Amino acid sequence: MPLQTQFRRKTIETFTVYRELVVVMVPIAIATQALAEFGVIKAVSPWLAPAMQLFGLPPELALAWLTGLLVGMWGGVIVLFTLVPTLALSSADMTVFSTLLLMAHAIPVEQRIVAKAGPNFWATSIIRIAGAMAFAALLHQLFAATGWLSQPMAPVWIPAAGEGGWIGFFQGLAKTLVVMLAVLLTLTWVMEVLRAAGVLDALYKALAPLFRLAGLRREALPFTTVGLLLGISYGSGLMLAEVRRQPIEPRQVFLASVFMGFAHSLIEDTLIVVALGADLTSVLFGRLVFAIAATAAAAFVLERFATPSSVPSDSVSRP
């Protein structure tokens, strides 16, 4: 097939996928913003406060994590710096809190996008939140036992809150949707060029041993790689397109979703939290190692105890 024809076909597919992502994202984002505006998140957060003891964090940070969990990482970060003075937290505290945010944020939006490709919303959400809590608790125990990163955190910069309320929300949402379309189209076109040039084959061959440790096979590499580097929304968008273009084993789609939940946007999100005072080794390499180990454990459980038909999935997500 000529490259020009392939570009046209991929562009049409991308717009189709993008329309479906918008239909998912916008209502959920508006509903989540309403929860924040009407004080529901703030009212619920005290119930989560005791859990902060698992991570050695002040109970006030329950509101920051719950905000990040529902609204998104930026919301959680801004609430963090609003609630707690910078000098009151150590580098270990910031690293632990960052892992919670990095691995579990914007759950209603991101996991509903994942569900469009097949995996069950509740199963992947619970796994992602439980994994974030487990990794954060492990880091806390490590830091407490060794005294590592016990010095006061030293952020390179502190984010300022943008315009609040519904006006700021809709401005941010519009910007997100525009950027998402631009990135999805660019990814689609660049991947077609790289595929035609044979670069993708070389990249996947290099990454295959890493993903093989997590139980992921070659057919899951394209969208898992995009999710790993750029984020769940982009990786899941490509995953949805691939699932509809060719048959992919549901188990592989589920494992790719689990892996992306633990390790996604490895570049941008990591740079953000490191600038805020988190430890690079923990939030980058530690998170990647945990993602591989946790996904491998999920693969073992599925291989040992589950049949293909019993893989958690949202049947309504399939075309």
Side-chain angles (χ1 to χ4, degrees):
M1 181 182 297
L3 190 59
Q4 184 177 359
T5 303
Q6 186 75 350
F7 264 59
R8 188 181 303 111
R9 185 175 68 83
K10 284 291 184 180
T11 300
I12 294 173
E13 289 180 2
T14 301
F15 272 105
T16 300
V17 170
Y18 175 74
R19 185 179 66 247
E20 295 188 31
L21 296 183
V22 170
V23 170
V24 170
M25 287 179 62
V26 172
I28 295 177
I30 292 174
T32 305
Q33 177 67 13
L35 292 178
E37 289 291 325
F38 294 133
V40 176
I41 294 177
K42 188 174 183 178
V44 172
S45 62
W47 294 91
L48 190 61
M52 294 295 103
Q53 296 179 3
L54 294 172
F55 320 119
L57 297 174
E60 298 92 335
L61 293 192
L63 175 59
W65 186 39
L66 187 58
T67 301
L69 204 63
L70 297 177
V71 177
M73 208 171 89
W74 279 112
V77 165
I78 291 173
V79 172
L80 164 70
F81 284 98
T82 302
L83 291 174
V84 181
T86 302
L87 294 178
L89 297 177
S90 67
S91 295
D93 293 333
M94 187 61 202
T95 301
V96 170
F97 182 76
S98 294
T99 60
L100 286 172
L101 274 185
L102 287 169
M103 298 175 72
H105 59 260
I107 295 295
V109 171
E110 291 189 346
Q111 296 312 113
R112 183 51 65 188
I113 291 174
V114 168
K116 291 291 293 183
N120 181 267
F121 171 85
W122 292 108
T124 55
S125 298
I126 291 171
I127 289 173
R128 188 173 167 188
I129 294 171
M133 295 178 68
F135 185 49
L138 285 172
L139 284 182
H140 165 59
Q141 293 299 324
L142 173 65
F143 297 152
T146 62
W148 185 30
L149 303 178
S150 58
Q151 70 275 14
M153 60 179 281
V156 177
W157 67 284
I158 296 176
E163 183 176 357
W166 287 103
I167 293 178
F169 164 74
F170 280 113
Q171 288 175 343
L173 181 60
K175 181 180 178 181
T176 298
L177 294 177
V178 170
V179 170
M180 176 176 285
L181 176 59
V183 171
L184 282 175
L185 286 172
T186 302
L187 276 174
T188 300
W189 297 332
V190 169
M191 289 185 72
E192 284 306 308
V193 172
L194 294 179
R195 183 179 287 111
V199 175
L200 281 186
D201 287 337
L203 175 62
Y204 297 153
K205 186 175 181 180
L207 290 175
L210 174 68
F211 287 120
R212 195 178 299 120
L213 290 174
L216 294 168
R217 296 203 296 262
R218 184 177 177 83
E219 63 265 30
L221 295 190
F223 44 82
T224 308
T225 302
V226 169
L228 176 68
L229 298 178
L230 297 180
I232 283 183
S233 297
Y234 305 125
S236 297
L238 289 183
M239 182 167 66
L240 177 59
E242 287 295 310
V243 165
R244 293 187 172 179
R245 187 174 66 88
Q246 60 182 356
I248 299 177
E249 185 185 9
R251 184 172 299 177
Q252 286 295 300
V253 176
F254 181 79
L255 290 177
S257 302
V258 171
F259 183 86
M260 286 192 292
F262 293 143
H264 60 272
S265 194
L266 220 57
I267 300 172
E268 180 185 359
D269 286 359
T270 299
L271 290 176
I272 289 171
V273 297
V274 168
L276 295 175
D279 174 63
L280 175 64
T281 302
S282 303
V283 297
L284 178 59
F285 299 106
R287 182 161 57 115
L288 186 56
V289 169
F290 180 86
I292 293 171
T295 308
F300 174 80
V301 170
L302 289 178
E303 186 71 29
R304 188 77 178 269
F305 301 106
T307 61
S309 60
S310 65
V311 175
S313 63
D314 280 353
S315 58
V316 297
S317 302
R318 297 289 181 175

